[in-house]
Amino acid sequence: MLKKRFSLLFLITFLLILSITIGSEDLTLYFSFENGSEEGFLGTSERVKLSIVEDVVLDGKYALKVHNRLSSWDGCRVSLTYNLLPEMNYLVSAFVYHTSDKPQPFQIVARIKDIVGERFELIGETIAMPKVWKEIKGNFKFNYSVYLEALDLMIVSPNESGFDFYVDKIQVLGPNKVSSPGSVVNSTFESGTVENWEARGDGVKILVRDNVAKTGKYSLFVTGRTRSWHGAQINLSKILETGKSYDISVWVYQSSGETQKITLTMQRKFDIDEKTRYETIVWQKSIPDKTWVELSGSYNVPLNVKIEELILYVESPNTNLEFYVDDVKVTDRTLVLGQPEWEIPSLAEMFKGYFKIGVAIPFKVLINPVEAKMVVKHFNSITSENEMKPESLQPREGEFDFSKADAYVKFAEENGLVVRGHTLVWHSQTPNWFFVDKDGKPASKELLLKRLENHIKTVVGRYKGRVYAWDVVNEAIDEAQPDGFRRSKWFEILGPEYIEKAFIWAHEADPNAKLFYNDYNTEIPAKREFIYKLVKSLKEKGVPIHGVGLQCHINISWPEIEEIENTIKLFSTIPGIEIHITELDMSVYTQAGEEYKTLPRDVAVRQGYRYRKLFDMLKKYKNVVTNVTFWGLKDDYSWLNQRGRFNYPLLFDKDYQAKLAYWALVSPNVLPPLIQIAKMASGQAVVDGIEDKSYKSAIPVIINDGERDVAVVKPIWYMSKIFVFAEVFDGRKDDTDCLTVFVDQNNAKSPYLQSDDVYFKFYRNGKIESNFAPMLKNYTIREKETGYTIECEIQWEIIGEIQEGLEILN
């Protein structure tokens, strides 16, 4: 469909300090207010007042003050209707400052209005501490239907009103004005050469052409293909590095007259590979005729390998297809682009009255001044990630290397931290020499016990009085075995005796150290029971064991927090036992096929709420839970990234920035609402306040106030009707008690009510409020001992019969 745009340039010239080719790749819009005016900015509502001020500025002389905010969505806006073009990537940034007495969220939001209606798109967001300038930034690409009526850039603080805020240095940059930090390949072919690209296959030719290009003047033309794997390639063997993750983007174009398939592949050979392997990055993406399409994905190079060959290539199952390649970018996504937020609260201080907050770190953190300072700011307990494991301390019999372990202990002592030692006995990362004699045969029981005793007493004795807790035995339980014991080499030679001996010898080496048994999946009932029996029996025998370490490698949906709580309850019934959470992280993935190039906002929000729920539970057991240690300082340091995809399991991102998971623990008021999506089952009901059988098939929506579930809502639909049954858990009756149901008929998710939006507020006392009562066909409210129930029937008005897949209910 033809899209029309009308430009009235004289209306917008006052907005710009610098504007190069309005709407183009070279666009630069900059608002600094240094001319003493609002530069086109208005309030998001008529009541909002804007002022140019000199008392609070980022730098320069002036900034824009936003005050008289009576609604959380009261902020400032500027029209960019005639400045930006659709389907183009822009970088938008601004600095904000506020006078609230607590952290506040800020957002840059685009308001887009076209023939379809009005919608809002989030561009960027941040959490700002009081009286500290903070940058918000984000990428923005938009589209519209038929014609663009309005495009506004809004800066708002969406959670609360009643405080003033300031903005300064707002900037909008076109793609050519945005630098690409971390770029290791940037093939634009604007040099007029093939730029290290090669033909792949006999007879294939690659030529630089100027008849078509994604951007600029030139692209790479691929012709002469006769096999599906023929195409164009670039050798990355000496460019990519081990232990890093890369984003890859390749634009392709073809003019065969019909849609074709094109694939992006990495040809790889590591020292661990017996033969060359081929890893698909993008599989047979549909490329319409005469249309540039992006092939994008990510590629991870494992840490402990040697790269022999890495070749990126473009191919097609159509053996005769000619195609073009342009704007190839390979970017190191692990490159750090920021500095820690020194102004935010310390995690250790926030939980001072509950338990120690620890972090497991690799040695490289200790020798990085910025990261070491970050550790000291947020944590009061440290664990060496690998440097105190047997293979690190005694790689060969009798040859101990304490250089790195000593550095951890010294760092902790100099900075007032405590050390958790990890780990003395484990089936993994233990040199094989422990288990064989001088002739290479399996070690005898006597020899292995002697070696174990020597290792434990040497290590624990060296740090007597300096390491406050040890994971003495790690992961000795396997619930799949009839007796529950892992069939490790320790067990095969010594039987379960080695566990008891390890604790005794560790205690003899340091009688004041706290000694722990440590394991994962302690939330699984069968494994939990085996660990309980083991620890209880050790305690009853008088073996010096002081606690259980729950590793807590969890994800955003598993396990239930209640199962972790059940584990704590069970283990705490053993007299004299403490609980440490020893290796906490929360994967954002729930199944093998998932992978996110960047962390989706809804997943980050979900992770935040789950971290909050976990810590709210842990705080209830502060008398038994005495240490909570995160397994990693920031996301790119997580061991989970070694599993072939980048994960986001910790509180800080790769650029040291606090995620919503951090704020969920420190200042949960800043969390966005947790949006829950449930499929609405089909069915009818009699509206009488009693739950019909039809609701049994509904997927319930749980409403949680951060501490407990306060309501369960079950919606069903039939033809043009919606039935809702809700149970509210509130034993204290009050006339202000109510439940509000919103129906967003155009699914715009606007921050305020639009003309199509309908709400029904059901008060516990029987009253209702609505902006369109005729849609409510029937309702009833019933009291219960635990609270009250609401049931209603809503008639769909605008769109007609409800269709499968339609999003309607908030």
Side-chain angles (χ1 to χ4, degrees):
M1 184 178 289
L2 179 65
K3 296 183 178 181
K4 300 180 180 178
R5 293 181 63 89
F6 304 94
S7 297
L8 301 176
L9 297 183
F10 65 88
L11 291 179
I12 62 167
T13 52
F14 66 92
L15 295 180
L16 311 179
I17 288 179
L18 176 64
S19 177
I20 303 175
T21 316
I22 290 179
S24 76
E25 289 103 338
D26 297 309
L27 175 72
T28 300
L29 299 178
Y30 187 49
F31 307 88
S32 68
F33 312 107
E34 289 304 296
N35 62 5
S37 77
E38 291 85 357
E39 297 181 4
F41 272 82
L42 302 170
T44 55
S45 67
E46 292 183 0
R47 59 179 170 264
V48 176
K49 298 186 182 301
L50 304 183
S51 305
I52 299 298
V53 297
E54 299 180 61
D55 55 328
V56 179
V57 295
L58 176 63
D59 53 37
K61 188 175 181 181
Y62 299 111
L64 182 69
K65 180 179 181 180
V66 182
H67 49 118
N68 200 39
R69 298 179 59 248
L70 304 182
S71 164
S72 61
W73 278 87
D74 282 346
C76 60
R77 64 182 175 90
V78 65
S79 174
L80 301 182
T81 309
Y82 305 104
N83 298 82
L84 307 187
L85 294 175
E87 297 297 336
M88 188 170 292
N89 287 306
Y90 296 97
L91 178 65
V92 183
S93 61
F95 284 86
V96 294
Y97 176 107
H98 70 88
T99 59
S100 172
D101 60 356
K102 57 187 175 183
Q104 294 291 347
F106 282 85
Q107 296 178 345
I108 301 177
V109 179
R111 170 184 169 268
I112 304 167
K113 190 173 184 181
D114 57 18
I115 195 171
V116 174
E118 182 184 52
R119 67 185 185 277
F120 297 82
E121 294 184 8
L122 179 65
I123 297 174
E125 61 186 333
T126 194
I127 312 297
M129 291 294 292
K131 299 180 180 179
V132 175
W133 282 101
K134 183 71 174 177
E135 186 179 22
I136 328 174
K137 61 182 176 181
N139 294 303
F140 177 53
K141 181 169 71 172
F142 75 101
N143 211 331
Y144 61 90
S145 297
V146 184
Y147 68 89
L148 181 65
E149 183 176 332
L151 171 59
D152 290 345
L153 200 67
M154 303 165 53
I155 301 176
V156 296
S157 183
N159 280 24
E160 297 180 16
S161 58
F163 64 88
D164 301 337
F165 69 82
Y166 303 77
V167 297
D168 205 350
K169 296 200 178 324
I170 300 100
Q171 189 169 246
V172 182
L173 298 177
N176 286 352
K177 294 298 181 178
V178 179
S179 61
S180 299
S183 176
V184 296
V185 173
N186 186 18
S187 301
T188 63
F189 309 106
E190 293 307 297
S191 63
T193 69
V194 298
E195 299 179 0
N196 298 319
W197 282 76
E198 303 169 332
R200 181 179 179 85
D202 294 337
V204 178
K205 294 181 180 180
I206 57 172
L207 307 166
V208 176
R209 292 281 182 85
D210 63 0
N211 57 311
V212 63
K214 173 63 177 67
T215 59
K217 183 178 181 181
Y218 298 109
S219 65
L220 187 71
F221 179 57
V222 183
T223 186
R225 300 176 60 253
T226 56
R227 304 284 295 274
S228 61
W229 55 270
H230 285 182
Q233 68 180 34
I234 184 170
N235 193 327
L236 304 179
S237 305
K238 295 183 179 180
I239 296 175
L240 305 191
E241 300 177 32
T242 59
K244 291 196 171 186
S245 298
Y246 296 89
D247 290 329
I248 300 175
S249 172
V250 179
W251 287 86
V252 294
Y253 177 100
Q254 59 85 23
S255 55
S256 66
E258 57 186 359
T259 297
Q260 300 287 346
K261 304 286 188 181
I262 294 182
T263 293
L264 184 63
T265 306
M266 184 73 78
Q267 176 180 316
R268 117 179 185 197
K269 181 75 162 55
F270 299 144
D271 60 336
I272 60 173
D273 297 324
E274 293 183 1
K275 59 182 181 180
T276 300
R277 300 179 62 179
Y278 301 88
E279 298 177 307
T280 301
I281 298 172
V282 179
W283 172 252
Q284 294 193 5
K285 187 160 187 176
S286 296
I287 314 297
D289 182 53
K290 296 182 180 179
T291 303
W292 282 102
V293 176
E294 183 183 22
L295 308 179
S296 65
S298 60
Y299 190 77
N300 302 312
V301 184
L303 180 61
N304 298 312
V305 299
K306 180 180 179 181
I307 299 172
E308 295 181 2
E309 184 178 70
L310 283 175
I311 296 175
L312 180 70
Y313 65 95
V314 187
E315 59 181 332
S316 173
N318 182 342
T319 58
N320 298 314
L321 181 67
E322 299 176 327
F323 55 83
Y324 296 81
V325 174
D326 202 0
D327 288 357
V328 180
K329 293 184 179 180
V330 180
T331 306
D332 179 0
R333 68 190 301 181
T334 62
L335 182 70
V336 176
L337 302 177
Q339 286 286 320
E341 300 165 283
W342 303 117
E343 75 276 11
I344 65 178
S346 160
L347 283 167
E349 285 298 313
M350 294 299 298
F351 291 94
K352 193 173 184 178
Y354 294 97
F355 32 68
K356 294 185 184 300
I357 298 293
V359 61
I361 50 176
F363 184 71
K364 63 182 179 180
V365 170
L366 291 188
I367 59 177
N368 182 318
V370 172
E371 294 177 355
K373 182 180 176 183
M374 186 176 177
V375 168
V376 174
K377 174 179 175 62
H378 285 294
F379 304 97
N380 49 22
S381 172
I382 61 170
T383 303
S384 62
E385 195 167 30
N386 292 293
E387 290 77 3
M388 286 188 177
K389 291 173 180 175
E391 71 174 8
S392 298
L393 292 183
Q394 195 181 182
R396 289 165 295 279
E397 186 169 13
E399 297 181 16
F400 286 89
D401 181 359
F402 291 110
S403 57
K404 290 182 178 178
D406 285 351
Y408 279 89
V409 176
K410 181 182 178 183
F411 174 79
E413 291 174 339
E414 290 176 346
N415 292 284
L417 314 179
V418 298
V419 179
R420 292 193 84 261
H422 179 82
T423 177
L424 297 174
V425 187
W426 192 22
H427 66 274
S428 180
Q429 291 183 257
T430 299
N432 191 56
W433 66 257
F434 268 93
F435 309 107
V436 296
D437 62 19
K438 62 181 180 180
D439 298 321
K441 297 179 180 179
S444 66
K445 182 175 182 178
E446 292 73 24
L447 177 59
L448 185 54
L449 282 173
K450 182 181 178 181
R451 287 171 170 173
L452 178 59
E453 180 181 10
N454 179 62
H455 180 81
I456 291 175
K457 287 187 174 180
T458 301
V459 173
V460 177
R462 182 180 183 86
Y463 299 113
K464 181 180 179 180
R466 304 174 72 192
V467 171
Y468 100 109
W470 284 97
D471 290 331
V472 177
V473 178
N474 195 46
E475 301 175 4
I477 293 296
D478 178 1
E479 69 274 24
Q481 299 296 333
D483 57 5
F485 290 108
R486 179 186 293 277
R487 293 323 192 239
S488 65
K489 290 182 179 180
W490 295 110
F491 185 87
E492 290 172 358
I493 299 173
L494 302 177
E497 179 185 354
Y498 79 93
I499 299 174
E500 184 176 322
K501 292 290 189 183
F503 280 96
I504 292 172
W505 291 330
H507 183 67
E508 289 175 355
D510 187 352
N512 294 319
K514 295 183 178 183
L515 308 180
F516 283 75
Y517 173 77
N518 189 56
D519 216 326
Y520 65 96
N521 284 358
T522 54
E523 307 79 22
I524 296 176
K527 188 165 189 176
R528 176 168 62 209
E529 190 64 26
F530 277 123
I531 295 172
Y532 169 75
K533 290 178 179 178
L534 170 65
V535 175
K536 187 170 183 289
S537 68
L538 291 173
K539 202 70 175 171
E540 289 171 347
K541 290 179 182 179
V543 174
I545 180 172
H546 308 111
V548 182
L550 316 184
Q551 291 185 12
C552 246
H553 295 297
I554 63 179
N555 67 40
I556 56 174
S557 65
W558 180 91
E560 294 293 336
I561 301 300
E562 290 74 18
E563 287 298 334
I564 303 175
E565 184 172 14
N566 289 340
T567 300
I568 293 172
K569 285 180 179 179
L570 179 62
F571 292 170
S572 63
T573 63
I574 304 173
I577 288 297
E578 293 182 30
I579 305 292
H580 283 190
I581 308 299
T582 56
E583 304 181 23
L584 176 61
D585 50 30
M586 187 183 295
S587 170
V588 298
Y589 303 119
T590 59
Q591 53 190 351
E594 294 177 318
E595 184 171 4
Y596 303 127
K597 186 174 180 180
T598 57
L599 181 60
R601 183 176 187 263
D602 63 319
V603 176
V605 172
R606 186 177 170 189
Q607 185 186 51
Y609 275 93
R610 186 159 163 82
Y611 261 121
R612 178 186 175 188
K613 186 175 182 180
L614 173 62
F615 271 73
D616 285 346
M617 182 274 290
L618 293 175
K619 287 192 292 186
K620 295 192 302 183
Y621 298 94
K622 64 180 182 179
N623 293 331
V624 64
V625 177
T626 57
N627 186 306
V628 178
T629 290
F630 291 89
W631 202 254
L633 178 63
K634 55 196 186 89
D635 283 342
D636 58 321
Y637 284 2
S638 172
W639 70 288
L640 293 172
N641 296 326
Q642 299 172 20
R643 297 189 165 190
R645 58 184 175 184
F646 194 86
N647 213 313
Y648 309 84
L650 300 167
L651 304 189
F652 300 96
D653 69 17
K654 74 177 184 68
D655 299 321
Y656 306 110
Q657 303 305 291
K659 297 161 54 184
L660 289 176
Y662 163 89
W663 290 107
L665 306 184
V666 169
S667 185
N669 67 289
V670 305
L671 289 178
L674 178 61
I675 297 176
Q676 301 182 69
I677 299 175
K679 293 181 179 179
M680 193 183 298
S682 177
Q684 297 188 73
V686 176
V687 180
D688 55 9
I690 301 173
E691 186 175 352
D692 286 18
K693 290 182 179 180
S694 301
Y695 292 112
K696 301 297 183 185
S697 61
I699 298 176
V701 176
I702 310 297
I703 301 175
N704 187 284
D705 67 357
E707 297 181 358
R708 64 185 182 89
D709 296 339
V710 295
V712 178
V713 181
K714 298 180 179 180
I716 57 176
W717 64 274
Y718 177 74
M719 301 294 285
S720 59
K721 299 176 181 179
I722 304 169
F723 298 89
V724 178
F725 183 87
E727 183 172 3
V728 181
F729 310 113
D730 184 359
R732 296 177 298 178
K733 189 173 182 179
D734 188 288
D735 284 344
T736 62
D737 292 345
C738 65
L739 177 76
T740 305
V741 176
F742 290 89
V743 180
D744 185 1
Q745 298 191 96
N746 68 355
N747 196 34
K749 296 183 176 68
S750 62
Y752 51 82
L753 288 176
Q754 295 180 308
S755 58
D756 68 290
D757 297 334
V758 181
Y759 71 88
F760 307 96
K761 183 179 286 188
F762 299 95
Y763 284 91
R764 187 172 187 171
N765 60 16
K767 296 180 180 179
I768 66 163
E769 293 179 7
S770 175
N771 62 339
F772 192 59
M775 282 182 64
L776 183 64
K777 297 304 178 183
N778 198 1
Y779 77 97
T780 185
I781 302 170
R782 282 177 174 262
E783 279 290 326
K784 296 182 66 176
E785 288 186 8
T786 57
Y788 59 103
T789 63
I790 297 169
E791 187 175 15
C792 65
E793 175 189 340
I794 299 170
Q795 178 69 44
W796 194 255
E797 289 289 337
I798 295 179
I799 301 175
E801 184 174 323
I802 299 172
Q803 301 296 318
E804 185 176 350
L806 188 64
E807 295 184 30
I808 54 173
L809 195 63
N810 292 334

